[in-house]
Amino acid sequence: MTDILNDESLDRLFRAARTHNVWRDEPVGDVLLQAIYDLAKMAPTSANCQPMRLLFVRSPDAKARLKPHLSDGNVDKTMAAPVTVIVGYDLKFYDELPRLFPHTDARAWFAGNDAKILETAFRNGSLQGAYLMIAARALGLDVGAMSGFDTAGVDAEFFAGTSIKSNFLCNLGYGDPGKLHERAPRPDFDDFCQIL
Amino acid sequence: MTDILNDESLDRLFRAARTHNVWRDEPVGDVLLQAIYDLAKMAPTSANCQPMRLLFVRSPDAKARLKPHLSDGNVDKTMAAPVTVIVGYDLKFYDELPRLFPHTDARAWFAGNDAKILETAFRNGSLQGAYLMIAARALGLDVGAMSGFDTAGVDAEFFAGTSIKSNFLCNLGYGDPGKLHERAPRPDFDDFCQIL
């Protein structure tokens, strides 16, 4: 195993990677979507709780169901993206713990404690959303995540009758690097970090 | 730029990487901590809001301040880890938006809206916590994250008089691969994902 990633990989994941809003007309197939999840699911969640639930919105019909719930500024790019992932989290994630964390009764840590359930689902579902974006970049895709949508509308349209809530959306595909804006400034280490 | 990461890199980040609880006696220096943050801060947050705040707890004095707030099962490994990061998020993150997202008045999207502030800080602070763990692995470190601690106690000890709240803890260092338990099972794609 290499000790650290090479420069090209660090560029692809972090340093040169950008949020894309303009997509090339190249499809993203089932196998690639599965490969992204199969990487992301390996990364850590507390008690391996894996609360993230994914809907890969790709067909014209599914895109049309999503469209009315998008903020105005997110409509065109999302309709044009090869795939839009609805990144959700399941508030009943703890029912899976006997299978996912079998060596102790972790389900009992959560059942009946709604505040802890929501906090754990939202924290770990967001961690997993980040793993998803990094995994997509690792496999050559560009990503463009969004919080600008009507979560209640998306939940009613896609998650009715379930315990799943939408967290954020993420377009996936191959972006057009010629259409990028200037990058927003990043903080210095000393702005937000301290070594004690 | 390579199109996808090589197998060794995918192993290091996702497939072979494990949560570690036993640490080799190898220090982690300032430059490496800064390099981790300098990768993590490049990854996406909504409106570049960058709410994550980090305390790298490394000195014996700082470790002693953290110790009483840890769950029993997390004390020994955390005291032995070269560094323990307190991953926090700042509820006043929006005061930085004029600098971090300068082309529009994004501060006005948040000021006065406490529910949106908390949701945005927690979601994006958690995304950034995941970027941090992946960046640490990319630079050769092992990680071991934990939710098992008294958040109110940590906040009172380390963040008193600020708008920063603790999210989770993460040990950093070089783990002992001989001391790993069996890996917890992972879900299949079809368990938690659907292509529409």
Side-chain angles (χ1 to χ4, degrees), chain B residues 94-169:
Chain B
Y94 54 93
D95 280 337
E96 305 285 340
L97 289 175
R99 175 168 72 101
L100 295 175
F101 202 66
H103 55 288
T104 190
D105 182 13
R107 187 183 181 284
W109 304 345
F110 297 97
N113 188 338
D114 286 348
K116 187 171 183 181
I117 288 168
L118 176 59
E119 180 178 293
T120 303
F122 191 39
R123 174 187 298 116
N124 287 277
S126 297
L127 294 176
Q128 288 194 280
Y131 302 146
L132 180 84
M133 290 190 279
I134 299 293
R137 287 177 169 178
L139 296 183
L141 287 165
D142 293 305
V143 304
M146 299 163 281
S147 295
F149 66 104
D150 173 13
T151 54
V154 166
D155 291 353
E157 178 64 35
F158 290 95
F159 297 128
T162 76
S163 46
I164 302 172
K165 303 292 175 189
S166 54
N167 186 357
F168 65 92
L169 306 178

Side-chain angles (χ1 to χ4, degrees), chain A residues 99-119:
Chain A
R99 176 167 70 101
L100 294 175
F101 201 67
H103 56 286
T104 189
D105 181 13
R107 186 182 182 284
W109 304 344
F110 296 98
N113 188 339
D114 286 347
K116 187 171 181 179
I117 288 168
L118 176 59
E119 180 178 293

